[in-house]
Amino acid sequence: MIKCGTLILLCLMIVGFPSAEDSKKLIAEVNKAVAAADDSILRDEYMVLRVEEHSEAEGSPPAFSMYYRGDRLIAVVVTVGHETWSKEFRYYYYANGNPKKYMEIVKNRPDNPPKEARIYAQDGSIVWKNTENEPIKFNELKTLFLTLQKTRKGFITY
């Protein structure tokens, strides 16, 4: 005989959690969408807001590139230069403004460390990850974008 609590837990497991197959499908869809966004970024198909600082130091301060279409933020790429290599932090957004994917990529380093990433469902829940957290939260970058967008629009008539 199955106890009531056990029965409820079994029902939640069957109905409430996505199957491994559903997760794989979602991961494939997100990766395909991110690859398409990266391709559009390379072809300069998005408008871009940039925040850059120039320095004479060996490393370079973080540079923010915010890619958007209309008022919708598509992706944010934060690039930080070091002496001989650089690191990119990439944030991608769903149309509803929730996080889609986060990636941390190290470029030009001889030991070629693996990419770190998180993939999210449209409701903001994490579907897959190999890192615990991103250095700046998605909502903080979105707020920065909205502030820059508002400021840009304030000066557009001059």
Side-chain angles (χ1 to χ4, degrees), residues 76-143:
V76 176
V77 178
V78 181
T79 306
V80 181
H82 295 276
E83 292 178 9
T84 58
W85 54 278
S86 65
K87 190 178 257 191
E88 280 187 358
F89 303 89
R90 294 177 159 263
Y91 298 76
Y92 300 87
Y93 293 84
Y94 282 108
N96 66 5
N98 284 344
K100 181 184 286 187
K101 185 173 184 177
Y102 162 77
M103 288 193 304
E104 189 173 313
I105 305 166
V106 176
K107 294 184 170 187
N108 300 321
R109 213 166 83 178
D111 59 345
N112 195 23
K115 293 178 186 176
E116 293 184 6
R118 293 176 111 181
I119 296 176
Y120 300 84
Q122 284 197 29
D123 65 2
S125 61
I126 298 171
V127 177
W128 181 90
K129 67 179 181 174
N130 68 353
T131 186
E132 285 307 309
N133 56 11
E134 54 278 337
I136 299 173
K137 301 295 180 199
F138 275 87
N139 60 344
E140 292 175 23
L141 286 172
K142 189 173 178 185
T143 300

